[in-house]
Amino acid sequence: MKLSEIINNEKLSLSFEVFPPKTDTAFESVKHATEEIAKLSPSFVSVTYGAGGGTSKYTLDIAKNINEQYGVPTLAHLTCVSSSKETVQKKIKEIKAAGIENIMALRGDLTPELENSDRSKWAYRNAIDLIRDIKDSGEDFCIGGACYPEIHPESENQREDIKHLKEKVDSGCSFLTTQMFFDNNLLYNFLYKIREAGITVPVIPGIMPITNANQVERAIKLSGSFMPQRFKSLVDKFGHSPEAMKQAGIAYATDQIIDLFANGITNVHVYSMNKPDVAEKIQSNLSEIIKV
Ligand code: FAD
C-alpha cells in the first residue's frame, strides 16, 4: 500500500522506524525485534538504509518480511551519495520486486572520504537527484524525503535549506519526515515557514524517545538538535538510573506526541530503534488518544 493513502487520512496514527542488523549473526534477533514492532499494527514501518549502525544489506529483507507477514505497509530507505547510477537502478528494481511501494529517498551523510573527494565525479550530489532517477525509472513509488526543522547542518541558513526543500518536494516527494526534535515549537515554526514557501505535502514529525543518558550525546551529535532545559533536567536527575531514565524518556516523547496531535498533526513517526518495549509503551500511553 502506498503511504500517500494513509498519511492524508484524518485518523491519528503512529508509525515506527527500525534499522537493519549490523552483522549477519544479528539478523535473527533484529528480525524478531522488528516483528514485535510490526505486531503493534502501526500505520507503517520504515526501515533505514545503513543509518543507526545497521548495514544496508538487510533493509529489504526486513521491510519485505514486515509487509508480507504482518500486512504492515513499509517504507524502504535508500541513500545515494556514495553510489553509482547502476547500483541505484538495481536497488530500485529490487525494492519493486520485493513488493514495497514506498521509498524514503535520501542523500546520506558525507563521510570524511567523500568530503575530500572531487564532487564533480559524484553520480549523486543531493536527494533530489535520486528522486528524479526514481521517477525516471518508470516504476510507480510513493516517495518521501527528509526535512530539518532546525536546519540541515550543512545549510548556511534556513531560507536556503527551505528553498532546496521546495525543489526536492517539487521533483516528486509525496511527504516529508522530519529529523528528531525535542521542542515542538521548533516544528510549528518550521511548518509555518515551509507552508509560506509553498510546500504543501504532509509533514510527518519524527520523535526520538531518549531512553538512556548515553543516547543523549549521540542523538545531539547526529541531529544537532536543541535540548530544552526541561529535557536536560530530566537527564540530570534520572540519567544515572536506567529504568527511571527510560520511564522519563518515554513520558517526554509521549508528551511531545500528545501536543502534536492536539495541534493538528495526524501521523507521528517514532524512532523506535528496534526497541519493541519502548514502541509498545508509547502506543499504550496513547491508546485512548489515538481513537479520537
Ligand atoms: P538533501 O536533501 O540532499 O540535503 C542535504 C543538504 O544539501 C542540505 O543542506 C540541503 O539544503 C542541501 N541541498 C539539497 N538540495 C540541494 C541542491 N539542489 N543544491 C544545493 N544544495 C542542496 N541516513 C542514512 O544513511 N540512512 C537512512 O536510512 C537515513 N534515514 C533518514 C531519515 C530521516 C527522516 C532523516 C531526517 C535523515 C535520515 N538519514 C539517513 C540521514 C540523512 O542521510 C542525512 O541527514 C543527510 O546528511 C542528508 O540527507 P537528505 O536526503 O536530507 O539530503
Side-chain angles (χ1 to χ4, degrees):
M1 183 191 272
K2 292 213 171 55
L3 297 194
S4 44
E5 291 171 38
I6 304 166
I7 53 191
N8 288 315
N9 202 316
E10 287 300 298
K11 201 182 162 311
L12 303 186
S13 60
L14 289 179
S15 51
F16 294 121
E17 181 159 300
V18 300
F19 56 83
K22 215 175 193 169
T23 59
D24 294 352
T25 44
F27 181 75
E28 282 307 319
S29 67
V30 168
K31 182 168 164 244
H32 177 71
T34 63
E35 288 176 338
E36 292 302 303
I37 288 173
K39 284 181 193 165
L40 299 169
S41 302
S43 55
F44 67 91
V45 170
S46 75
V47 188
T48 67
Y49 192 76
T55 71
S56 54
K57 189 163 118 183
Y58 288 120
T59 298
L60 270 193
D61 294 343
I62 300 280
K64 186 170 187 255
N65 180 55
I66 293 171
N67 202 355
E68 286 180 353
Q69 301 301 320
Y70 298 90
V72 175
T74 48
L75 169 65
H77 290 207
L78 180 62
T79 65
C80 60
V81 72
S82 52
S83 301
S84 65
K85 291 267 176 188
E86 294 70 34
T87 310
V88 166
Q89 287 302 333
K90 191 166 159 262
K91 281 281 167 197
I92 294 170
K93 288 199 164 46
E94 284 172 9
I95 295 172
K96 198 72 196 174
I100 294 158
E101 297 184 83
N102 310 289
I103 301 182
M104 183 63 158
L106 299 144
R107 186 197 67 180
D109 277 322
L110 301 182
T111 58
E113 249 172 48
L114 268 171
E115 290 217 49
N116 296 324
S117 68
D118 178 359
R119 289 185 187 217
S120 67
K121 300 215 168 94
W122 296 2
Y124 295 93
R125 291 194 194 188
N126 288 103
I128 190 171
D129 307 324
L130 172 61
I131 294 164
R132 287 180 178 143
D133 274 9
I134 298 171
K135 286 279 174 194
D136 290 347
S137 71
E139 306 287 4
D140 182 22
F141 285 106
C142 170
I143 304 172
C147 65
Y148 304 83
E150 296 175 69
I151 312 180
H152 185 270
E154 290 162 36
S155 284
E156 271 181 32
N157 56 57
Q158 195 166 39
R159 203 161 36 83
E160 280 298 300
D161 206 24
I162 291 178
K163 189 182 118 203
H164 293 136
L165 186 63
K166 169 90 168 80
E167 289 164 3
K168 179 158 87 172
V169 170
D170 289 348
S171 73
C173 281
S174 296
F175 68 94
L176 295 166
T177 305
T178 76
Q179 179 60 284
M180 67 181 86
F181 57 90
F182 300 94
D183 176 351
N184 288 1
N185 286 328
L186 294 165
L187 190 265
Y188 301 138
N189 290 340
F190 174 70
L191 286 178
Y192 178 82
K193 288 179 183 164
I194 65 166
R195 297 309 183 211
E196 214 181 19
I199 299 172
T200 57
V201 293
V203 174
I204 305 179
I207 295 295
M208 167 77 92
I210 300 284
T211 54
N212 70 68
N214 300 334
Q215 220 184 323
V216 178
E217 210 176 304
R218 211 169 49 239
I220 298 175
K221 202 171 158 206
L222 266 172
S223 65
S225 305
F226 164 71
M227 284 283 161
Q229 188 53 45
R230 196 163 78 83
F231 190 81
K232 284 188 197 152
S233 306
L234 183 150
V235 179
D236 281 352
K237 180 78 181 171
F238 305 117
H240 69 281
S241 159
E243 285 313 308
M245 186 59 225
K246 190 167 168 184
Q247 198 168 43
I250 289 172
Y252 191 94
T254 304
D255 194 41
Q256 269 193 287
I257 298 170
I258 293 172
D259 182 69
L260 292 167
F261 283 154
N263 283 286
I265 301 291
T266 53
N267 196 108
V268 175
H269 195 55
V270 179
Y271 293 117
S272 50
M273 308 286 289
N274 298 0
K275 292 179 184 153
D277 57 333
V278 173
E280 194 281 324
K281 188 72 192 147
I282 289 181
Q283 187 154 351
S284 70
N285 284 348
L286 298 164
S287 58
E288 292 303 318
I289 286 167
I290 230 147
K291 289 183 196 156
V292 172

